[in-house]
PDB file of all heavy atoms in Angstrom:
ATOM      1  N   GLY A   5     131.459 172.045  95.066  1.00  0.00           N
ATOM      2  CA  GLY A   5     130.794 172.103  93.772  1.00  0.00           C
ATOM      3  C   GLY A   5     129.330 171.703  93.843  1.00  0.00           C
ATOM      4  O   GLY A   5     128.648 171.677  92.836  1.00  0.00           O
ATOM      5  N   GLY A   6     128.830 171.362  95.030  1.00  0.00           N
ATOM      6  CA  GLY A   6     127.420 171.057  95.176  1.00  0.00           C
ATOM      7  C   GLY A   6     127.021 169.632  94.861  1.00  0.00           C
ATOM      8  O   GLY A   6     125.857 169.302  94.879  1.00  0.00           O
ATOM      9  N   THR A   7     127.953 168.760  94.536  1.00  0.00           N
ATOM     10  CA  THR A   7     127.627 167.374  94.237  1.00  0.00           C
ATOM     11  C   THR A   7     127.416 166.608  95.545  1.00  0.00           C
ATOM     12  O   THR A   7     128.271 166.650  96.428  1.00  0.00           O
ATOM     13  CB  THR A   7     128.756 166.699  93.435  1.00  0.00           C
ATOM     14  OG1 THR A   7     129.011 167.477  92.273  1.00  0.00           O
ATOM     15  CG2 THR A   7     128.383 165.293  93.031  1.00  0.00           C
ATOM     16  N   ALA A   8     126.292 165.920  95.678  1.00  0.00           N
ATOM     17  CA  ALA A   8     125.995 165.163  96.892  1.00  0.00           C
ATOM     18  C   ALA A   8     126.841 163.903  96.939  1.00  0.00           C
ATOM     19  O   ALA A   8     127.029 163.234  95.930  1.00  0.00           O
ATOM     20  CB  ALA A   8     124.521 164.803  96.942  1.00  0.00           C
ATOM     21  N   VAL A   9     127.359 163.610  98.112  1.00  0.00           N
ATOM     22  CA  VAL A   9     128.155 162.411  98.322  1.00  0.00           C
ATOM     23  C   VAL A   9     127.405 161.551  99.323  1.00  0.00           C
ATOM     24  O   VAL A   9     126.974 162.036 100.360  1.00  0.00           O
ATOM     25  CB  VAL A   9     129.556 162.764  98.868  1.00  0.00           C
ATOM     26  CG1 VAL A   9     130.343 161.504  99.162  1.00  0.00           C
ATOM     27  CG2 VAL A   9     130.296 163.658  97.891  1.00  0.00           C
ATOM     28  N   GLN A  10     127.238 160.281  99.008  1.00  0.00           N
ATOM     29  CA  GLN A  10     126.540 159.387  99.926  1.00  0.00           C
ATOM     30  C   GLN A  10     127.432 158.204 100.272  1.00  0.00           C
ATOM     31  O   GLN A  10     128.047 157.608  99.395  1.00  0.00           O
ATOM     32  CB  GLN A  10     125.255 158.873  99.298  1.00  0.00           C
ATOM     33  CG  GLN A  10     124.214 159.938  99.110  1.00  0.00           C
ATOM     34  CD  GLN A  10     122.900 159.376  98.601  1.00  0.00           C
ATOM     35  OE1 GLN A  10     122.784 158.175  98.378  1.00  0.00           O
ATOM     36  NE2 GLN A  10     121.936 160.232  98.416  1.00  0.00           N
ATOM     37  N   ASP A  11     127.472 157.888 101.537  1.00  0.00           N
ATOM     38  CA  ASP A  11     128.180 156.714 102.009  1.00  0.00           C
ATOM     39  C   ASP A  11     127.114 155.652 102.250  1.00  0.00           C
ATOM     40  O   ASP A  11     126.410 155.675 103.258  1.00  0.00           O
ATOM     41  CB  ASP A  11     128.925 157.054 103.294  1.00  0.00           C
ATOM     42  CG  ASP A  11     129.757 155.899 103.820  1.00  0.00           C
ATOM     43  OD1 ASP A  11     129.487 154.732 103.444  1.00  0.00           O
ATOM     44  OD2 ASP A  11     130.671 156.152 104.618  1.00  0.00           O
ATOM     45  N   HIS A  12     126.994 154.716 101.322  1.00  0.00           N
ATOM     46  CA  HIS A  12     125.912 153.734 101.379  1.00  0.00           C
ATOM     47  C   HIS A  12     126.022 152.810 102.589  1.00  0.00           C
ATOM     48  O   HIS A  12     125.005 152.397 103.153  1.00  0.00           O
ATOM     49  CB  HIS A  12     125.848 152.941 100.076  1.00  0.00           C
ATOM     50  CG  HIS A  12     125.537 153.808  98.895  1.00  0.00           C
ATOM     51  ND1 HIS A  12     124.272 154.316  98.677  1.00  0.00           N
ATOM     52  CD2 HIS A  12     126.313 154.304  97.901  1.00  0.00           C
ATOM     53  CE1 HIS A  12     124.280 155.068  97.592  1.00  0.00           C
ATOM     54  NE2 HIS A  12     125.509 155.088  97.108  1.00  0.00           N
ATOM     55  N   VAL A  13     127.236 152.504 103.010  1.00  0.00           N
ATOM     56  CA  VAL A  13     127.421 151.657 104.191  1.00  0.00           C
ATOM     57  C   VAL A  13     126.933 152.398 105.433  1.00  0.00           C
ATOM     58  O   VAL A  13     126.211 151.833 106.261  1.00  0.00           O
ATOM     59  CB  VAL A  13     128.895 151.229 104.332  1.00  0.00           C
ATOM     60  CG1 VAL A  13     129.118 150.490 105.639  1.00  0.00           C
ATOM     61  CG2 VAL A  13     129.328 150.374 103.148  1.00  0.00           C
ATOM     62  N   ALA A  14     127.313 153.667 105.557  1.00  0.00           N
ATOM     63  CA  ALA A  14     126.874 154.450 106.716  1.00  0.00           C
ATOM     64  C   ALA A  14     125.357 154.597 106.725  1.00  0.00           C
ATOM     65  O   ALA A  14     124.723 154.494 107.775  1.00  0.00           O
ATOM     66  CB  ALA A  14     127.540 155.824 106.715  1.00  0.00           C
ATOM     67  N   LEU A  15     124.754 154.832 105.569  1.00  0.00           N
ATOM     68  CA  LEU A  15     123.297 154.956 105.499  1.00  0.00           C
ATOM     69  C   LEU A  15     122.611 153.656 105.912  1.00  0.00           C
ATOM     70  O   LEU A  15     121.597 153.682 106.616  1.00  0.00           O
ATOM     71  CB  LEU A  15     122.866 155.363 104.091  1.00  0.00           C
ATOM     72  CG  LEU A  15     123.252 156.772 103.665  1.00  0.00           C
ATOM     73  CD1 LEU A  15     122.906 156.996 102.190  1.00  0.00           C
ATOM     74  CD2 LEU A  15     122.571 157.809 104.531  1.00  0.00           C
ATOM     75  N   ALA A  16     123.161 152.522 105.513  1.00  0.00           N
ATOM     76  CA  ALA A  16     122.591 151.224 105.892  1.00  0.00           C
ATOM     77  C   ALA A  16     122.701 151.016 107.399  1.00  0.00           C
ATOM     78  O   ALA A  16     121.769 150.516 108.040  1.00  0.00           O
ATOM     79  CB  ALA A  16     123.287 150.099 105.139  1.00  0.00           C
ATOM     80  N   GLU A  17     123.846 151.397 107.988  1.00  0.00           N
ATOM     81  CA  GLU A  17     124.021 151.262 109.433  1.00  0.00           C
ATOM     82  C   GLU A  17     123.050 152.153 110.193  1.00  0.00           C
ATOM     83  O   GLU A  17     122.486 151.741 111.213  1.00  0.00           O
ATOM     84  CB  GLU A  17     125.464 151.597 109.816  1.00  0.00           C
ATOM     85  CG  GLU A  17     126.453 150.539 109.373  1.00  0.00           C
ATOM     86  CD  GLU A  17     127.888 150.896 109.727  1.00  0.00           C
ATOM     87  OE1 GLU A  17     128.135 151.987 110.287  1.00  0.00           O
ATOM     88  OE2 GLU A  17     128.767 150.075 109.434  1.00  0.00           O
ATOM     89  N   ILE A  18     122.842 153.360 109.704  1.00  0.00           N
ATOM     90  CA  ILE A  18     121.888 154.272 110.346  1.00  0.00           C
ATOM     91  C   ILE A  18     120.481 153.702 110.281  1.00  0.00           C
ATOM     92  O   ILE A  18     119.727 153.753 111.259  1.00  0.00           O
ATOM     93  CB  ILE A  18     121.961 155.668 109.695  1.00  0.00           C
ATOM     94  CG1 ILE A  18     123.299 156.315 110.020  1.00  0.00           C
ATOM     95  CG2 ILE A  18     120.790 156.539 110.134  1.00  0.00           C
ATOM     96  CD1 ILE A  18     123.617 157.539 109.197  1.00  0.00           C
ATOM     97  N   GLU A  19     120.115 153.111 109.149  1.00  0.00           N
ATOM     98  CA  GLU A  19     118.798 152.506 109.002  1.00  0.00           C
ATOM     99  C   GLU A  19     118.611 151.352 109.983  1.00  0.00           C
ATOM    100  O   GLU A  19     117.573 151.232 110.640  1.00  0.00           O
ATOM    101  CB  GLU A  19     118.603 152.010 107.571  1.00  0.00           C
ATOM    102  CG  GLU A  19     117.246 151.402 107.326  1.00  0.00           C
ATOM    103  CD  GLU A  19     117.059 150.925 105.896  1.00  0.00           C
ATOM    104  OE1 GLU A  19     117.848 151.296 105.018  1.00  0.00           O
ATOM    105  OE2 GLU A  19     116.105 150.168 105.661  1.00  0.00           O
TER     106      GLU A  19
END
Side-chain angles (χ1 to χ4, degrees):
T7 305
V9 177
Q10 292 185 359
D11 183 340
H12 297 286
V13 173
L15 292 174
E17 289 179 358
I18 292 167
E19 182 179 345

